[in-house]
Amino acid sequence: MGKAPAFIVDDLQNEYQNGFGFKHEDCEIAITIEDKKYLIGGSDDESAFSIGVRIFDKATGNWEIPTVLGTKPKPCKGHSAVSLNDGRILIIKKGFAPDDCIWFLEVDTEYVKKQKKGLGTEVVAWSKGVRGNVERPVVISGPSGVGKGTLISMLMKEFPSMFGFSVSHTTRAPRGMEKDGVHYHFTERSVMEKEIEDGKFLEFASVHGNLYGTSIEAVEVVADAGKRCILDIDVQGARSVRDSTLEAIFIFICPPSMEELGKRLRARGTEAEEQILKRLENAEAEMEQGKSSGIFDHICYNDKLEDCYENLKKLLGLDGTAVATQKLSPQGINLPVDHSVSRIDNKIIINCGAPELEKASKSLIVLDVSSLKGGAPGRTRGLDVYAVDSFSDGLNGINQLS
Ligand SMILES: Nc1nc2c(ncn2[C@@H]2O[C@H](COP(=O)(O)OP(=O)(O)O)[C@@H](O)[C@H]2O)c(=O)[nH]1
Ligand SMILES: Nc1ncnc2c1ncn2[C@@H]1O[C@H](COP(=O)(O)OP(=O)(O)O)[C@@H](O)[C@H]1O
């Protein structure tokens, strides 16, 4: 149980209708979900408000200061909040950049439930809302030397604007041609362990004696650029991603034989014999896991490189339709500083006009949250945003709750 926060307890008596909260600059917002009241807001200094979170448990009468996960929104001068009835609270920041005004505070999603169980504390998690969708990321696993890197390079070369590579962190030393920030983020173990502890990684694993991991940011920057993300990770990492909110397609690459795998590793000439033997030893277990764990959607044999590449392209829907399936880069959301918020089912109605302008056309922005994807600890995608003419679209009967 946390300490009671310093704010006017009277606020708690105010019921906000239908899970809505909207207040002006010097107040926190209270959102009630079942027997919990989430107080969102709070002042850090005079010019801006950090968006802190406190929870009042009505059943026990106790205050909780939750563990806050995910990347927090920057302080702002006020915000509106709407409960989405799915364990998420939508937060609309006022007076902020178009691409940084929609956030989700997850209070009871699957991810948050899992974290609560693991940490044994009350947990909430932030996730930034992003307009539009990107294609499912592609996870590629397989034993060292099977040809993952070669196949990924071929894809990136043939479809440079379609795919982006998730640059992992690793504690292993760079090989001759490898560049920091391009092939890997080469990192000190202590630094990486601290970042893992801070929740910055989607997954991590110890592989061949080194630490490897995919940061949440590594995947999200690729998606932000409107590209389909490719992850080259080991089987343990693939399992963690399977359990995460990232809806990926999982492909396991097999060698034609263990002898051939050894030949490829030795011909690559990047590892000392001791490392090669370790990789071959680990390959046995990886092959077993890859084939029988149920993690992978597809298994590809990399015997003849060209055949395997063609097969991979087919699995990814790239057999001649590549240009047609390319998606536009998701755009930011242009919301004005002054607005009020209401809701009809899965549509959040943002009234952008001053009262005297309310009759003007295009004064409403609709935020459609019916197809949200992803979420904490990464971004929440799938937001659809459009302006409507409040009269011609028959929305003039909206009940303004805030
Ligand atoms: N779990 C996890 N595995 C990774 C990550 N990055 C690379 N790996 C895996 O680590 C293993 C070793 O990679 P690397 O040192 O580049 O050697 P290579 O596979 O022989 O090219 C491979 O199985 C990679 O798929 C990561 O971010 N997470
Ligand atoms: N189908 C293949 N036949 C022969 N050699 C291959 C094939 N695929 C990849 N290679 C070679 O095998 C070596 C290991 O490939 P690489 O892509 O680095 O594997 P991984 O990333 O899985 O460790 C490289 O020298 C590469 O050129």
Side-chain angles (χ1 to χ4, degrees), residues 254-264 280 287 301-302:
C254 275
S257 67
M258 290 312 245
E259 292 72 36
E260 172 66 15
L261 189 65
K263 267 193 208 159
R264 286 183 194 174
L280 287 174
M287 297 279 288
Y301 280 85
N302 184 17

Side-chain angles (χ1 to χ4, degrees), residues 358-372:
E358 271 182 18
K359 287 189 178 162
S361 67
K362 306 287 180 214
S363 63
L364 302 181
I365 288 178
V366 176
L367 207 63
D368 188 331
V369 292
S370 58
S371 307
L372 297 181

Side-chain angles (χ1 to χ4, degrees), residues 47-326:
S47 59
F49 291 79
S50 72
I51 310 187
V53 184
R54 302 160 176 87
I55 305 171
F56 182 70
D57 188 333
K58 292 202 274 188
T60 62
N62 286 338
W63 283 101
E64 297 274 357
I65 308 294
T67 302
V68 180
L69 301 175
T71 309
K72 270 182 167 179
K74 291 200 187 88
C76 62
K77 293 186 170 167
H79 50 279
S80 333
V82 183
S83 169
L84 295 187
N85 302 332
D86 62 355
R88 287 188 260 223
I89 298 169
L90 170 69
I91 305 286
I92 304 170
K93 287 167 67 178
K94 298 180 151 220
F96 236 73
D99 62 351
D100 190 26
C101 54
I102 305 292
W103 286 76
F104 294 87
L105 181 68
E106 298 192 7
V107 299
D108 203 26
T109 54
E110 284 311 310
Y111 170 73
V112 166
K113 280 180 192 157
K114 208 152 80 185
Q115 299 300 321
K116 280 182 193 172
K117 219 168 157 189
L119 294 168
T121 62
E122 197 50 75
V123 172
V124 296
W126 285 106
S127 171
K128 185 174 165 180
V130 178
R131 188 178 185 179
N133 259 314
V134 281
E135 296 235 34
R136 281 167 83 191
V138 185
V139 170
I140 296 191
S141 292
S144 180
V146 74
K148 302 178 298 295
T150 306
L151 290 161
I152 292 169
S153 297
M154 289 166 86
L155 268 181
M156 306 270 288
K157 196 169 167 202
E158 187 173 352
F159 306 100
S161 61
M162 182 174 292
F163 291 101
F165 185 62
S166 159
V167 181
S168 294
H169 284 60
T170 182
T171 59
R172 87 147 158 77
R175 292 173 186 150
M177 298 294 283
E178 286 179 334
K179 286 204 185 88
D180 188 33
V182 177
H183 298 93
Y184 280 105
H185 297 289
F186 295 100
T187 315
E188 289 288 320
R189 184 175 277 268
S190 58
V191 174
M192 192 165 162
E193 283 174 346
K194 169 78 173 70
E195 289 187 348
I196 289 170
E197 208 178 298
D198 291 345
K200 293 192 176 159
F201 280 76
L202 179 67
E203 62 77 30
F204 60 92
S206 176
V207 192
H208 317 316
N210 283 301
L211 198 54
Y212 293 80
T214 309
S215 71
I216 292 157
E217 211 46 32
V219 174
E220 296 295 357
V221 291
V222 174
D224 285 350
K227 294 185 178 183
R228 189 168 190 184
C229 186
I230 304 184
L231 295 86
D232 172 348
I233 59 176
D234 87 316
V235 178
Q236 307 165 73
R239 178 176 285 115
S240 303
V241 175
R242 254 283 181 224
D243 290 344
S244 78
T245 50
L246 198 74
E247 289 171 37
I249 174 167
F250 295 78
I251 300 173
F252 189 78
I253 314 285
C254 275
S257 67
M258 290 312 245
E259 292 72 36
E260 172 66 15
L261 189 65
K263 267 193 208 159
R264 286 183 194 174
L265 270 177
R266 290 189 175 96
R268 189 171 70 182
T270 50
E271 266 76 31
E273 185 60 21
E274 189 194 347
Q275 264 295 324
I276 291 176
L277 291 175
K278 187 182 248 182
R279 282 160 191 261
L280 287 174
E281 198 183 308
N282 291 343
E284 304 272 358
E286 286 171 308
M287 297 279 288
E288 180 68 32
Q289 294 260 318
K291 286 181 181 171
S292 63
S293 61
I295 299 171
F296 295 93
D297 302 304
H298 306 283
I299 294 179
C300 287
Y301 280 85
N302 184 17
D303 189 354
K304 265 189 80 192
L305 184 60
E306 281 308 322
D307 291 351
C308 184
Y309 182 57
E310 286 308 313
N311 190 15
L312 181 63
K313 284 203 292 184
K314 207 180 272 177
L315 293 177
L316 298 176
L318 299 172
D319 41 351
T321 55
V323 176
T325 58
Q326 209 162 311

